[in-house]
Amino acid sequence: MPPASNPFLFTNILLLLPLLHTLSSAVPAIPVNGTCRDTCGTISVKYPFGAEPGCGHPDFARYIKCVSGTLEFSTGSGIYNISSIDYPSNTIVVTDPFMSTCSLMQNSGSFILDKASPFTITQDNIIVLLGCSSTSPVFDPYEDLCATGSRLRVCRGMYSCKGVSGIGLRQKGPASTCCVYESPNGLGSGYALDVPRLQCSSYTSIYGFGGNEGDPMKWNYGISLQYNDSYNADACNDCESSGGSCGFTGLDGSFACICRSGRNTTTNCLGQGYAWSGTWGPKIQTMLSTGGFLLLWMTLFI
């Protein structure tokens, strides 16, 4: 005769599962070396950004990462290098490797900002479409998608570059295939520039003229993005004033102050808040998880 089944077995398993989840997530995720680096390559990395997992704000961690000494920005259209961050103005500049410049023009793809992204394209950007077909929707007479007036000088400047031969155009040729593009959907989150759909060969973005508007070789090429810096600003200031670095922990990405000693707290590094040792935290988490599974096994088979 087979052994009688335990009528409470299934109930016990259901009760234990939340306990296992709580035990495995109780210890906050912290950087491998217990602290947050403040640089990535030559770029200073400050809150809300982070150079390591668990550092910075979680809403930015999915978009910005430090990979082999290069700070990268990820979005729906690809991964781009960050060339600079200006913290007083809350802006970053990203570089599209397929974007054209005066010295090198090439066929481009698209640039898209995720709708949920905490970034917007700044008003400083001048988006220029190059080598557009005469049937391109940007030339629709019923739409005002191309800027006129003084902005046309930007097109003439780009077409004066030797690099224009890279997209099959003649240097100093007519600028009728160029458009200083004004997106009908604005520059906010969810911005999308689909160059192939617009029937153009390439695009460039100019966020400054380098003090010489007449020389396109000296223009500042890249995409300037503004970010929202209001995330946990007061809590982070309190943490940093105590010598800590701002980060996050747990499945909910709750705020954590990461101290130089390798400890995490919920407030600052002055001894307040709940903390696990940065060295022993992962070991304790492993032991708790292992113990929880052993408890489940004992319930099933004893």
Side-chain angles (χ1 to χ4, degrees):
M1 172 180 289
S5 60
N6 184 351
F8 300 103
L9 178 60
F10 185 71
T11 302
N12 290 341
I13 293 174
L14 291 179
L15 291 174
L16 282 171
L17 287 177
L19 173 62
L20 294 178
H21 168 73
T22 302
L23 290 173
S24 64
S25 61
V27 180
I30 60 174
V32 174
N33 62 359
T35 59
C36 290
R37 287 182 293 149
D38 58 4
T39 59
C40 178
T42 60
I43 298 179
S44 174
V45 178
K46 301 178 183 180
Y47 193 81
F49 309 125
E52 296 175 288
C55 297
H57 192 280
D59 285 0
F60 291 88
R62 59 177 296 193
Y63 297 103
I64 294 183
K65 293 180 174 63
C66 183
V67 181
S68 300
T70 300
L71 201 60
E72 295 181 343
F73 173 78
S74 300
T75 187
S77 53
I79 298 175
Y80 309 91
N81 289 349
I82 297 175
S83 59
S84 65
I85 302 178
D86 185 62
Y87 291 99
S89 63
N90 301 336
T91 57
I92 70 173
V93 175
V94 302
T95 304
D96 182 348
F98 298 105
M99 185 181 73
S100 288
T101 64
C102 185
S103 57
L104 176 64
M105 296 194 194
Q106 56 190 330
N107 291 332
S108 305
S110 304
F111 181 81
I112 299 172
L113 280 180
D114 299 343
K115 289 185 178 180
S117 164
F119 297 91
T120 58
I121 294 185
T122 69
Q123 297 289 339
D124 295 333
N125 292 280
I126 301 175
I127 307 295
V128 186
L129 298 171
L130 306 165
C132 300
S133 165
S134 60
T135 60
S136 169
V138 300
F139 298 132
D140 187 334
Y142 299 102
E143 301 281 353
D144 294 323
L145 299 180
C146 296
T148 58
S150 61
R151 289 290 179 95
L152 291 177
R153 291 195 298 242
V154 177
C155 280
R156 289 193 288 268
M158 291 300 298
Y159 279 26
S160 70
C161 300
K162 291 183 179 180
V164 76
S165 61
I167 55 174
L169 298 177
R170 176 172 54 87
Q171 185 181 10
K172 297 183 180 179
S176 57
T177 61
C178 175
C179 171
V180 177
Y181 185 60
E182 296 184 343
S183 172
N185 299 320
L187 301 176
S189 297
Y191 177 87
L193 179 68
D194 190 339
V195 177
R197 187 184 66 82
L198 295 174
Q199 301 176 30
C200 300
S201 299
S202 185
Y203 86 97
T204 191
S205 177
I206 302 159
Y207 65 92
F209 292 106
N212 196 334
E213 191 169 346
D215 186 356
M217 286 294 294
K218 296 181 179 179
W219 294 353
N220 299 321
Y221 296 96
I223 303 171
S224 177
L225 303 176
Q226 190 155 40
Y227 61 89
N228 185 342
D229 73 335
S230 63
Y231 297 83
N232 292 333
D234 292 338
C236 184
N237 289 337
D238 184 34
C239 171
E240 291 181 339
S241 66
S242 68
S245 300
C246 304
F248 59 94
T249 184
L251 296 177
D252 61 349
S254 57
F255 177 80
C257 184
I258 303 169
C259 306
R260 294 176 183 175
S261 63
R263 294 174 63 87
N264 280 9
T265 76
T266 58
T267 53
N268 54 46
C269 295
L270 300 178
Q272 302 179 20
Y274 179 84
W276 282 106
S277 166
T279 302
W280 282 95
K283 296 179 182 179
I284 294 172
Q285 185 178 32
T286 301
M287 289 188 288
L288 287 175
S289 298
T290 303
F293 282 109
L294 285 174
L295 180 61
L296 177 60
W297 182 85
M298 292 171 63
T299 304
L300 289 173
F301 297 104
I302 295 179

